[in-house]
């Protein structure tokens, strides 16, 4: 990614004064969510500050947790260890078989293929790891289910539901409150840079099409 582009995005976010994820006026996190839903064709996106956080959200969003057995796509040792720490028993899904979620790891080299990867996904949830774009740990849970999205968001401290209630001190959806919440909230700075990388990833194809 060009250093000028990165510096421009960072300057924009820093000068906005909105650098914390709990600000009501933040535009970077919603902007990345909109871009991801548009690129993947999914109705909703929940952002996380790590791959493992997104895996947790993908499973908790489906009501899966301690004591459950889940089928997962091929995962690295760290991810499997984390799921075991959550109390889940995992079974590796055969290629093309049913899984609790599908997983895509984006890099600067393959980011333009996100729509293609999403189209091939058949699981109820798509986890997109954005860390490989080069701006820090980041990931997203994409789904068409409002319930899955709501439970995934509620897992985060200062997720969408906390931001609605922290100013009024009134709990809007008590049934969604988990026993424990985690600091999975993504930084607006990282969100802004990830959105820039995804936007630039489709520019060559768009330019080529304009001249054809």
């Amino acid at each position: 990614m060009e250093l000028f582009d990165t510096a421009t995005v960072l300057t924009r976010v820093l000068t906005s004064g909105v650098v914390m994820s709990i600000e009501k006026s933040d535009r970077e996190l919603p902007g990345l969510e909109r871009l991801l839903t548009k690129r993947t064709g999914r109705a909703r996106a929940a952002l996380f500050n790590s791959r493992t956080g997104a895996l947790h959200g993908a499973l908790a969003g489906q009501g899966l947790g301690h004591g459950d057995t889940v089928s997962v796509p091929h995962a690295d040792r760290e991810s499997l260890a984390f799921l075991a720490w959550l109390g889940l028993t995992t079974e590796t899904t055969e290629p093309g078989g049913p899984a609790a979620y599908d997983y895509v790891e984006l890099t600067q080299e393959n980011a333009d293929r996100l729509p293609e990867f999403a189209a091939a996904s058949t699981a109820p949830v798509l986890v997109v790891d954005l860390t490989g774009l080069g701006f820090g740990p980041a990931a997203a849970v994409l789904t068409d289910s409002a319930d899955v999205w709501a439970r995934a968001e509620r897992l985060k401290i200062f997720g969408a539901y906390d931001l609605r209630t922290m100013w009024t001190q009134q709990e809007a959806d008590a049934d969604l409150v988990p026993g424990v919440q985690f600091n999975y909230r993504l930084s607006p700075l990282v969100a802004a840079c990830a959105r820039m990388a995804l936007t630039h990833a489709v520019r060559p194809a768009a330019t080529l099409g304009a001249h054809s």
Side-chain angles (χ1 to χ4, degrees), residues 20-82:
M20 295 181 64
S21 60
I22 62 172
E23 298 287 350
K24 291 197 297 182
S25 57
D26 167 56
R27 297 181 179 180
E28 305 301 338
L29 296 167
L32 179 57
E33 290 169 352
R34 287 192 298 270
L35 179 59
L36 287 169
T37 55
K38 181 178 180 180
R39 294 280 170 85
T40 63
R42 301 305 193 273
R44 296 174 182 269
L47 301 176
F48 290 79
N49 63 7
S50 65
R51 172 191 60 195
T52 50
L55 297 180
H56 192 181
L59 294 172
Q62 298 177 76
L64 298 170
H66 190 278
D68 291 324
T69 299
V70 295
S71 295
V72 300
H74 178 73
D76 58 29
R77 182 172 59 184
E78 290 79 10
S79 296
L80 293 176
F82 175 73

Side-chain angles (χ1 to χ4, degrees), residues 38-194:
K38 181 178 180 180
R39 294 280 170 85
T40 63
R42 301 305 193 273
R44 296 174 182 269
L47 301 176
F48 290 79
N49 63 7
S50 65
R51 172 191 60 195
T52 50
L55 297 180
H56 192 181
L59 294 172
Q62 298 177 76
L64 298 170
H66 190 278
D68 291 324
T69 299
V70 295
S71 295
V72 300
H74 178 73
D76 58 29
R77 182 172 59 184
E78 290 79 10
S79 296
L80 293 176
F82 175 73
L83 296 180
W85 178 79
L86 292 176
L88 290 155
T89 299
T90 57
E91 300 175 343
T92 302
T93 304
E94 295 297 327
Y101 60 84
D102 284 324
Y103 176 80
V104 171
E105 184 176 356
L106 292 186
T107 65
Q108 292 189 20
E109 289 71 33
N110 71 0
D112 61 310
R113 298 179 60 196
L114 178 57
E116 174 188 340
F117 296 143
S121 171
T122 57
V125 176
L126 175 62
V127 175
V128 178
D129 187 356
L130 305 167
T131 306
L133 297 177
F135 299 103
V141 171
L142 285 302
T143 181
D144 288 324
S145 169
D147 291 337
V148 169
W149 173 84
R151 285 191 289 264
E153 275 290 327
R154 205 63 182 86
L155 188 65
K156 300 186 296 185
I157 295 176
F158 296 125
Y161 282 81
D162 283 343
L163 290 179
R164 295 174 190 170
T165 61
M166 67 182 293
W167 309 106
T168 63
Q169 300 298 307
Q170 295 180 352
E171 181 57 61
D173 294 279
D175 293 340
L176 286 175
V177 179
V180 178
Q181 287 182 293
F182 295 80
N183 186 17
Y184 288 151
R185 184 80 175 169
L186 184 63
S187 161
L189 284 168
V190 176
C193 291

